[in-house]
Amino acid sequence: MDFELTEEQKDIAKAAREFAEGEFDKDYAMECDQEHKFPRELVRKAGELGFIGVHYPEEYGGAGLGALENALIVEEMCRVDSTLGLCIALPDFGCEIIKWFGTEEQKKKYLPKVCSGEWISAGIFTEPDHGSDITELSTTAVKDGDEWVINGTKTFITNGEIADFGVILVQTDPDAKPKYRGMSTFIVEKDCWEAADVGSKMGIRATSTAELSFDNARVPEENLVGELNRGFYQVLEFFDESRIEIAAQALGTAEAAFDRTMEYIKQRELHGKKLAEFQITRHKIADMATKIEAAKLLTYKAAWNFDNGRRIDPVLTSMAKWFAARTAVEVADEAIQLHGGYGYITEYEVERIYRDAKITEIYEGTREVQKNTIASGLIGKL
Amino acid sequence: MDIIVCVKRVPDTSEADVVITGKDIKKDDLPFEINEWDNYAVEEAVQLKEKFGGTITVISVGDEDANEVIRRGLAMGADEGVRIYDPAIEGSDGVTIAKILAAAIKNMKYDLILTGAQAGDLGEGIVPVALAEMLGIPHATLVTGLEIQDGKAKVKRELEGGLMEVLEIDLPAVIGIQTGINEPRYVSIMGIRKASKKEIKLLGLGDIGLTPEDVGEAGSLTVLEELSVPPVTKVAEIIEGDPAEAASKLAEILKEQGVL
Amino acid sequence: MSEIFVLAEHRNGELRDVTFEMLSGARNLADKMGATVTAVLLGSGVNEMAEKLKSYANKVLVVDDPKLENFNAEIYQKVLSKLIKDHKPVVTLIGHTAFGMDLAPALAVELGLPLATDCIDLDAVDGRLVVTRQIYSGKVNAKVALKGDQFIATVRSGAFSIEEGALNGEIVTESVTIEDVPYRRFLGYEEAEVGEVDITQADYIVSVGRAIKDQENIPLVQELADVLGGVLACSRPVVDKNWLPKDRQVGSSGKIVKPKLYLAIGISGAFQHVAGMKDSGLIVAINKDPKAPIFNVADYGIVDDLFKVVPVLKEKIKEIKG
Ligand SMILES: Cc1cc2nc3c(=O)[nH]c(=O)nc-3n(C[C@H](O)[C@H](O)[C@H](O)COP(=O)(O)OP(=O)(O)OC[C@H]3O[C@@H](n4cnc5c(N)ncnc54)[C@H](O)[C@@H]3O)c2cc1C
Ligand SMILES: Cc1cc2nc3c(=O)[nH]c(=O)nc-3n(C[C@H](O)[C@H](O)[C@H](O)COP(=O)(O)OP(=O)(O)OC[C@H]3O[C@@H](n4cnc5c(N)ncnc54)[C@H](O)[C@@H]3O)c2cc1C
Ligand SMILES: Cc1cc2nc3c(=O)[nH]c(=O)nc-3n(C[C@H](O)[C@H](O)[C@H](O)COP(=O)(O)OP(=O)(O)OC[C@H]3O[C@@H](n4cnc5c(N)ncnc54)[C@H](O)[C@@H]3O)c2cc1C
């Protein structure tokens, strides 16, 4: 057993950190958060330097690396700033489906532009009535000649207003039983939908979250990704990879809160002592650090497992996802507590980190959904 | 044009509590990085290569950890990496480090050697000028401007008070780079990928014709005797309180002192 | 009796302070070593300078030659190595300056003598030179002993204070045949560009260091300077990164300033920086590292994040000023 990252992995983490420390600015992050502004230029710069989509093959603009290297970049970026870091993690959202199931033409057309930071994609699954449960969908695609006609409404779509294209999950065979055996994924370009912002949200406010409506949107047959009616399974497999990235986002966000707190408790004096001298503070720090370390081990192991061609293990991925997410929320909460009143003020970063942390327990499968996955994996059919 | 860049891996102590342990400081918890001056030197080399073609070799004297800064140089655009090490090297002074570098470099092909003007940790500023003397070639250190033309280098050396000395020197030469000469690029993932496919050549003392007696304390004419915390000559009166309190108190003090 | 050589440093016909500082330090060292102090003056038409050195040294050794008019490390090295071979000084001191840094290591290598650079103190123990130098951003002092019986050291500017001399050294002129160095040609000096603000004339200076992190944060400190009615200056990294122009840089390779108030924000206090501001009236430092060396020159300090302190400070000063 070897817990060391390879030299290349360490170099990658360091390069990501250097980029983030050099380019991220606290005031700008705050501005993006307050004004719901997406840091488009920053994303382009990160793309040029190869920080987006390292887990795609080199022939499609990636670096030919794996989920672990991607996780390291996302972790480091979110650790420097949870708001801006996430914006660099998500521009390829959904593209893993093209990577795994797409045709050569699809991969060539879409992946390089995403990896270079020129294009932004969206993963379009959730519907107003179908979130955790996507075994049934209202959005449909009906074949008409050599085109498919899509109708329906999707919601909570990250990058919805800024994406150049997305991968959508729709019902192609409404009569299938169970329904999820009649779903397929398509690549849809931005002129296929009308986007409407879902409104002010708690955290990750620099990202766009939108409702997308599809009204007789036509896509050519060649935009079908993979096999017809296998979409649901593709999305589940996609989650096995993408949830690792969200675990890394959570991990970095937890570390961001932790770093700020460590600095603060060493400075803050009360009752003639440094905050860091109180035993209760020290135990809190010990708890936070332990949870972070555990989250890190789970995340890295899930990524390593994914990259090493083992049996894809949704149990492990879900463990990493919910645990890292919970850790982010708990550590951010404790960070605010230790900052006292200052922690509640936006200027002191931990307030924003706290708001940014919570989403990791919701999107890409809520905590409960992850636990369902783990339990059914472990217990099986009774 | 073939360029050699000497790089050193140094701990960043600018925001750390430095703890002395014997003849060294505790380094386990310190972040390490490429010497700031060397980062500018690598960037300068890469820019010259982009203009004139040729190769860049990064070279470092140090243990395995030094590979990290060599790889960083490769990732920024260098072609080859060389590391020189032997346990006997520990305890070498600046002149001895130059001796080791010279022994390795004299068998290599080069038109230009770049180093940092100094290393941020020990700040001796010895290596570039000593190295040039050992190789019998011209040098200039504290260089903030470098132009290559017809086998010559036009350099600007930074003197005190913002004054520049403008010189022309023949190549090959050793140039000690001062910070600010350029804007070092970020390391890219593509660069890292390229770097990790490259083998870093490891040279031992035997490979460069030196013996353990030539290096380390035995081979050095200076010996580190002891480290200590600098005596405090004057300490500022620290204004206590949270940021707002402290700032208010400071404003009051400035008023009392007649500054406002 | 053995000699201590002190290489006089001059530029444009003026002796530089470091020369007198080294001569002052050398006198103490000479007492400990039972040696005399010789000022070594290389230049062209240097009588006047030689006269100025007399009271600081037991001897002023002059080589006067048109080829020595401008500092050229290679030419100086040739002359100096000949003098050292002939006179066998026990110690040769050279300024740790742009001039000395370009010269001393090559000289030491050529002569095979031990070299310690950037020394802040010089001592003799059993006839050997033992120096103190600062390492790790000024947070540690290292004592380094030099082997053998002849030594070279470069001395940090400001390490010794100038003590008026009461000696009356004899001026001895030597002539040395100087070979040409065609491979290194001096083309001239270039003054840094002058901008619209002259920080050396300001009464109040707000000076900002690397900790400002981004050009976009410059307005924050500029506003503070504005409410104080002062100007904004900076440490070297801020100029290196092009966040402020070179003429705002304080320190040995920038400007020397002596304002009534010097407010150092996010500056660690490297000696090259301190050299440019230590004679300011009131020095206040804001730095989140309580061990930052800047607190050893400041009168008042705040240990905290500048981004939290500066906005409040600005408002408070505004209030007070009405
Ligand atoms: C900011 C943001 C960005 C998003 N980005 C995207 C995106 O890019 N693409 C996309 O497709 N979707 C996206 N989503 C949607 C997200 O994935 C869903 O919100 C999430 O899956 C939960 O679905 P829901 O909102 O319908 O909640 P519901 O499914 O209604 O869940 C409500 C509660 O019930 C619990 N619950 C549900 N099922 C069970 C069960 N079987 N057992 C126990 N408890 C259960 C849930 O855990 C939760 O606590 C985003 C959401 C947000 C807020
Ligand atoms: C008395 C004494 C004892 C020492 N003992 C030890 C010891 O036990 N262990 C130890 O690790 N160090 C030791 N050192 C320090 C080490 O040898 C230094 O690297 C050396 O003195 C160079 O000084 P500097 O780093 O200040 O280089 P400078 O001369 O300030 O550096 C200028 C430039 O030279 C080049 N350079 C410097 N060092 C290297 C290098 N290693 N490889 C490639 N290029 C380089 C870089 O381009 C750098 O920018 C000791 C130093 C002294 C004075
Ligand atoms: C030949 C030569 C000439 C030089 N000439 C000059 C010169 O003229 N002028 C000059 O300035 N330098 C000069 N230097 C460079 C000098 O050695 C130092 O590298 C430089 O002064 C360091 O600048 P700094 O203090 O801004 O940065 P650092 O040393 O990096 O210090 C930054 C400081 O900011 C603090 N800090 C970080 N974040 C915060 C925060 N949020 N709030 C509060 N504090 C924070 C840190 O604790 C640290 O102390 C020269 C170097 C050489 C070799």
Side-chain angles (χ1 to χ4, degrees):
Chain A
M1 184 131 91
D2 185 1
F3 283 100
E4 275 281 313
L5 295 174
T6 65
E7 281 172 351
E8 189 182 52
Q9 287 161 347
K10 285 185 205 164
D11 289 348
I12 287 171
K14 201 162 185 168
R17 192 176 181 89
E18 252 181 51
F19 173 80
E21 281 177 343
E23 293 295 307
F24 292 5
D25 175 67
K26 198 174 96 177
D27 292 334
Y28 182 57
M30 221 141 90
E31 186 184 315
C32 290
D33 175 71
Q34 309 267 290
E35 296 168 18
H36 281 236
K37 195 162 87 187
F38 185 73
R40 191 66 187 88
E41 261 322 296
L42 196 61
V43 168
R44 220 168 256 134
K45 235 184 204 171
E48 277 164 22
L49 289 164
F51 290 115
I52 297 173
V54 292
H55 54 304
Y56 295 89
E58 275 171 299
E59 60 264 45
Y60 308 122
L65 296 163
L68 180 51
E69 288 79 10
N70 184 47
L72 291 170
I73 291 172
V74 172
E75 176 191 355
E76 290 297 336
M77 299 255 183
C78 290
R79 181 174 190 164
V80 176
D81 191 287
S82 57
T83 308
L84 299 176
L86 172 66
C87 293
I88 290 172
L90 288 187
D92 69 317
F93 191 54
C95 282
E96 288 88 348
I97 297 177
I98 302 178
K99 170 176 77 168
W100 293 119
F101 306 104
T103 61
E104 189 60 21
E105 289 70 38
Q106 289 170 342
K107 290 190 235 182
K108 283 234 165 79
K109 178 165 179 198
Y110 294 100
L111 301 183
K113 287 237 161 67
V114 168
C115 292
S116 66
E118 287 164 83
W119 281 1
I120 288 177
S121 75
I124 310 168
F125 317 119
T126 304
E127 297 182 351
D129 295 326
H130 304 282
S132 299
D133 179 14
I134 51 168
T135 54
E136 207 173 307
L137 292 175
S138 315
T139 305
T140 57
V142 177
K143 185 134 189 198
D144 178 22
D146 47 11
E147 286 184 329
W148 289 85
V149 183
I150 301 177
N151 277 294
T153 302
K154 294 282 183 178
T155 194
F156 292 135
I157 304 308
T158 296
N159 300 336
E161 292 160 298
I162 55 171
D164 298 278
F165 70 96
V167 176
I168 191 170
L169 180 68
V170 292
Q171 198 76 48
T172 34
D173 177 2
D175 305 322
K177 285 209 171 63
K179 283 232 166 207
Y180 58 82
R181 291 204 180 141
M183 293 180 188
S184 307
T185 54
F186 289 89
I187 298 171
V188 282
E189 301 209 354
K190 65 178 172 211
D191 52 7
C192 290
W193 68 74
E194 286 293 326
D197 189 62
V198 296
S200 181
K201 54 184 180 282
M202 176 184 184
I204 62 161
R205 289 159 59 100
T207 65
S208 146
T209 312
E211 184 165 279
L212 306 188
S213 49
F214 294 82
D215 180 12
N216 286 318
R218 291 184 163 266
V219 296
E221 172 74 27
E222 70 244 33
N223 279 25
L224 172 69
V225 184
E227 247 178 88
L228 190 66
N229 294 332
R230 295 290 299 167
F232 179 75
Y233 300 98
Q234 293 168 2
V235 171
L236 285 194
E237 279 189 45
F238 159 74
F239 281 144
D240 280 325
E241 183 171 16
S242 69
R243 282 172 182 165
I244 297 169
E245 178 174 290
I246 304 304
Q249 178 204 344
L251 174 60
T253 303
E255 288 171 316
F258 184 77
D259 293 347
R260 278 30 167 215
T261 307
M262 281 293 269
E263 201 171 294
Y264 187 76
I265 60 165
K266 287 183 187 167
Q267 269 173 27
R268 176 69 169 166
E269 275 183 44
L270 52 167
H271 309 294
K273 281 206 284 190
K274 292 260 190 264
L275 184 50
E277 289 176 77
F278 294 91
Q279 194 178 25
I280 189 131
T281 309
R282 302 172 75 89
H283 279 195
K284 282 183 181 193
I285 289 294
D287 286 344
M288 292 157 85
T290 308
K291 284 179 193 166
I292 288 173
E293 189 62 25
K296 182 180 290 217
L297 289 172
L298 266 173
T299 304
Y300 289 8
K301 186 174 174 193
W304 170 85
N305 183 66
F306 188 88
D307 292 338
N308 281 277
R310 323 248 146 189
R311 179 177 59 88
I312 288 179
D313 187 354
V315 171
L316 189 55
T317 305
S318 286
M319 283 177 171
K321 160 75 166 68
W322 87 256
F323 189 80
R326 190 87 279 255
T327 298
V329 172
E330 286 174 358
V331 169
D333 180 35
E334 208 59 282
I336 293 193
Q337 198 66 23
L338 282 169
H339 274 74
Y342 295 101
Y344 203 69
I345 308 300
T346 304
E347 202 198 301
Y348 278 73
E349 283 184 281
V350 286
E351 183 264 354
R352 180 161 52 86
I353 295 170
Y354 178 85
R355 291 187 286 105
D356 284 346
K358 184 64 195 175
I359 190 62
T360 59
E361 284 203 296
I362 296 171
Y363 64 9
E364 309 248 337
T366 61
R367 182 180 357 137
E368 292 72 23
V369 165
Q370 307 304 331
K371 289 187 181 178
N372 283 348
T373 305
I374 296 166
S376 51
L378 295 176
I379 299 167
K381 279 210 173 80
L382 289 176
Chain B
M1 188 160 62
D2 296 324
I3 307 172
I4 294 173
V5 190
C6 304
V7 298
K8 184 184 184 190
R9 181 175 179 265
V10 299
D12 176 9
T13 50
S14 63
E15 289 179 33
D17 280 334
V18 173
V19 181
I20 295 170
T21 53
K23 287 193 182 180
D24 209 343
I25 58 167
K26 207 165 152 276
K27 292 180 179 157
D28 320 350
D29 297 334
L30 294 175
F32 276 80
E33 58 195 14
I34 186 170
N35 176 35
E36 188 181 355
W37 282 262
D38 301 350
N39 197 29
Y40 285 94
V42 174
E43 175 65 33
E44 196 63 20
V46 175
Q47 290 188 9
L48 287 171
K49 182 181 147 179
E50 285 168 353
K51 219 163 162 187
F52 300 108
T55 65
I56 302 172
T57 304
V58 263
I59 181 167
S60 186
V61 180
D63 64 16
E64 228 181 325
D65 291 337
N67 280 338
E68 185 194 337
V69 294
I70 298 176
R71 285 199 311 272
R72 195 179 190 288
L74 292 170
M76 280 173 77
D79 303 277
E80 277 173 58
V82 176
R83 179 168 70 88
I84 310 166
Y85 189 65
D86 184 289
I89 283 171
E90 301 292 330
S92 299
D93 69 4
V95 172
T96 307
I97 295 288
K99 181 174 16 172
I100 297 166
L101 287 167
I105 290 174
K106 73 173 194 291
N107 300 320
M108 293 164 60
K109 207 168 128 280
Y110 60 86
D111 303 300
L112 180 65
I113 300 172
L114 300 182
T115 73
Q118 66 169 38
D121 53 350
L122 306 176
E124 294 185 338
I126 290 178
V127 172
V129 181
L131 179 61
E133 178 70 21
M134 290 170 185
L135 293 170
I137 58 177
H139 73 263
T141 191
L142 294 171
V143 169
T144 54
L146 174 61
E147 278 170 46
I148 306 287
Q149 240 172 16
D150 314 323
K152 294 182 177 59
K154 189 175 163 195
V155 304
K156 285 187 188 170
R157 291 186 64 232
E158 186 184 67
L159 310 182
E160 288 75 12
L163 195 67
M164 301 283 185
E165 180 189 6
V166 188
L167 297 173
E168 192 176 66
I169 56 178
D170 289 353
L171 296 183
V174 182
I175 306 281
I177 299 289
Q178 171 66 311
T179 55
I181 187 171
N182 54 38
E183 245 181 85
R185 66 197 63 198
Y186 290 112
V187 169
S188 73
I189 297 293
M190 297 68 108
I192 292 173
R193 290 295 279 163
K194 262 191 220 138
S196 67
K197 287 179 191 132
K198 289 195 171 128
E199 187 96 31
I200 294 172
K201 189 157 143 200
L202 176 63
L203 298 178
L205 289 178
D207 300 320
I208 55 172
L210 295 178
T211 65
E213 290 71 48
D214 295 327
V215 302
E217 248 182 55
S220 298
L221 295 175
T222 67
V223 186
L224 179 64
E225 298 227 305
E226 83 181 4
L227 299 183
S228 59
V229 177
V232 177
T233 38
K234 172 186 172 187
V235 220
E237 183 181 328
I238 299 297
I239 304 166
E240 304 287 347
D242 66 47
E245 280 163 28
S248 312
K249 284 188 210 160
L250 174 57
E252 286 303 323
I253 290 167
L254 293 180
K255 189 175 156 197
E256 280 162 30
Q257 298 271 343
V259 176
L260 293 187
Chain C
M1 199 160 180
S2 57
E3 282 177 278
I4 294 178
F5 269 14
V6 174
L7 179 65
E9 183 169 333
H10 54 88
R11 188 186 299 153
N12 293 330
E14 292 275 344
L15 285 162
R16 298 178 58 79
D17 282 353
V18 69
T19 307
F20 298 104
E21 292 163 11
M22 285 193 287
L23 286 165
S24 305
R27 288 215 295 278
N28 261 326
L29 185 66
D31 289 344
K32 287 186 193 157
M33 294 186 130
T36 59
V37 177
T38 300
V40 178
L41 177 61
L42 315 183
S44 172
V46 290
N47 288 348
E48 218 173 289
M49 284 192 265
E51 287 297 326
K52 286 200 186 125
L53 291 169
K54 273 167 70 174
S55 63
Y56 292 88
N58 303 91
K59 186 166 106 186
V60 181
L61 181 57
V62 177
V63 180
D64 200 322
D65 190 307
K67 284 184 182 154
L68 294 170
E69 181 173 355
N70 290 305
F71 169 73
N72 180 323
E74 312 254 6
I75 298 178
Y76 267 60
Q77 182 188 335
K78 287 193 167 30
V79 176
L80 209 50
S81 75
K82 167 129 190 11
L83 294 179
I84 293 173
K85 279 182 204 151
D86 292 350
H87 293 259
K88 303 203 165 37
V90 56
V91 178
T92 299
L93 299 180
I94 299 172
H96 190 72
T97 55
F99 175 115
M101 285 174 81
D102 210 32
L103 164 68
L107 183 68
V109 169
E110 181 190 345
L111 296 168
L113 296 182
L115 168 69
T117 57
D118 192 22
C119 304
I120 56 166
D121 202 9
L122 306 166
D123 196 5
V125 179
D126 303 330
R128 288 201 309 165
L129 182 65
V130 177
V131 306
T132 304
R133 49 193 314 280
Q134 288 197 324
I135 56 179
Y136 298 118
S137 28
K139 290 181 175 175
V140 177
N141 276 2
K143 211 174 236 183
V144 176
L146 284 70
K147 294 184 193 169
D149 48 18
Q150 260 186 296
F151 320 101
I152 303 180
T154 66
V155 177
R156 177 181 291 188
S157 295
F160 296 99
S161 39
I162 300 175
E163 286 162 33
E164 279 307 313
L167 301 171
N168 187 15
E170 172 198 2
I171 300 178
V172 181
T173 306
E174 275 192 33
S175 66
V176 176
T177 6
I178 304 172
E179 295 163 50
D180 278 334
V181 281
Y183 45 85
R184 172 167 171 145
R185 289 165 299 278
F186 174 79
L187 299 182
Y189 290 123
E190 235 176 58
E191 286 285 352
E193 275 170 50
V194 206
E196 74 273 30
V197 176
D198 184 358
I199 58 172
T200 63
Q201 298 303 313
D203 281 339
Y204 308 115
I205 292 181
V206 172
S207 193
V208 64
R210 196 199 307 263
I212 197 71
K213 279 211 69 180
D214 205 309
Q215 179 145 35
E216 287 171 30
N217 296 324
I218 294 289
L220 178 72
V221 275
Q222 179 66 55
E223 284 160 21
L224 179 61
D226 291 345
V227 299
L228 275 166
V231 301
L232 184 62
C234 63
S235 69
R236 179 173 184 119
V238 176
V239 173
D240 286 346
K241 295 192 155 52
N242 285 324
W243 297 336
L244 282 174
K246 181 82 183 170
D247 58 12
R248 303 291 183 108
Q249 182 188 320
V250 172
S252 59
S253 56
K255 297 271 167 62
I256 313 276
V257 297
K258 291 176 189 173
K260 288 184 187 142
L261 170 70
Y262 190 85
L263 185 48
I265 301 178
I267 291 175
S268 62
F271 77 91
Q272 291 102 336
H273 186 81
V274 170
M277 46 65 77
K278 61 179 190 311
D279 296 326
S280 305
L282 187 70
I283 300 176
V284 179
I286 301 173
N287 192 305
K288 64 180 184 183
D289 176 6
K291 300 236 171 72
I294 191 74
F295 290 120
N296 298 337
V297 289
D299 301 290
Y300 292 97
I302 294 180
V303 180
D304 217 315
D305 183 355
L306 77 92
F307 293 102
K308 289 170 191 156
V309 178
V310 170
V312 189
L313 184 59
K314 189 181 75 192
E315 289 311 316
K316 290 289 164 192
I317 291 171
K318 244 194 221 158
E319 257 171 49
I320 291 173
K321 287 195 138 185

